[in-house]
Amino acid sequence: MTTTIATAQLRTVPEVMTRLKLGRSKVYDLIRSHRLVSIKIDGARRVPADAVRDFILGQIEEAA
């Protein structure tokens, strides 16, 4: 996997906020509680696109 592909699959917190339609504090709460996987790159928080998808699928399974 090239760096470009890996970087393209990482989302910023504002992008995650938009995707989940949640506020900044709630997204950081999900990250802090380990319900949403994230990584830190030189102080910048990034969320893998797969982690957002997995979070959504997990929420759907819990609701069923």
Side-chain angles (χ1 to χ4, degrees), residues 9-64:
Q9 294 177 353
L10 295 175
R11 305 289 181 251
T12 64
V13 169
E15 289 171 333
V16 174
M17 290 166 50
T18 300
R19 176 79 168 116
L20 297 178
K21 301 199 180 356
L22 295 172
R24 182 179 181 273
S25 295
K26 185 60 180 177
V27 171
Y28 278 108
D29 285 344
L30 293 171
I31 290 169
R32 259 190 302 279
S33 65
H34 303 286
R35 293 177 62 203
L36 183 61
V37 175
S38 71
I39 60 172
K40 218 170 182 185
I41 303 172
D42 294 333
R45 182 67 60 183
R46 296 293 180 259
V47 179
D50 289 345
V52 176
R53 187 200 67 228
D54 293 344
F55 174 77
I56 294 169
L57 292 174
Q59 292 300 113
I60 291 170
E61 286 178 12
E62 282 182 26

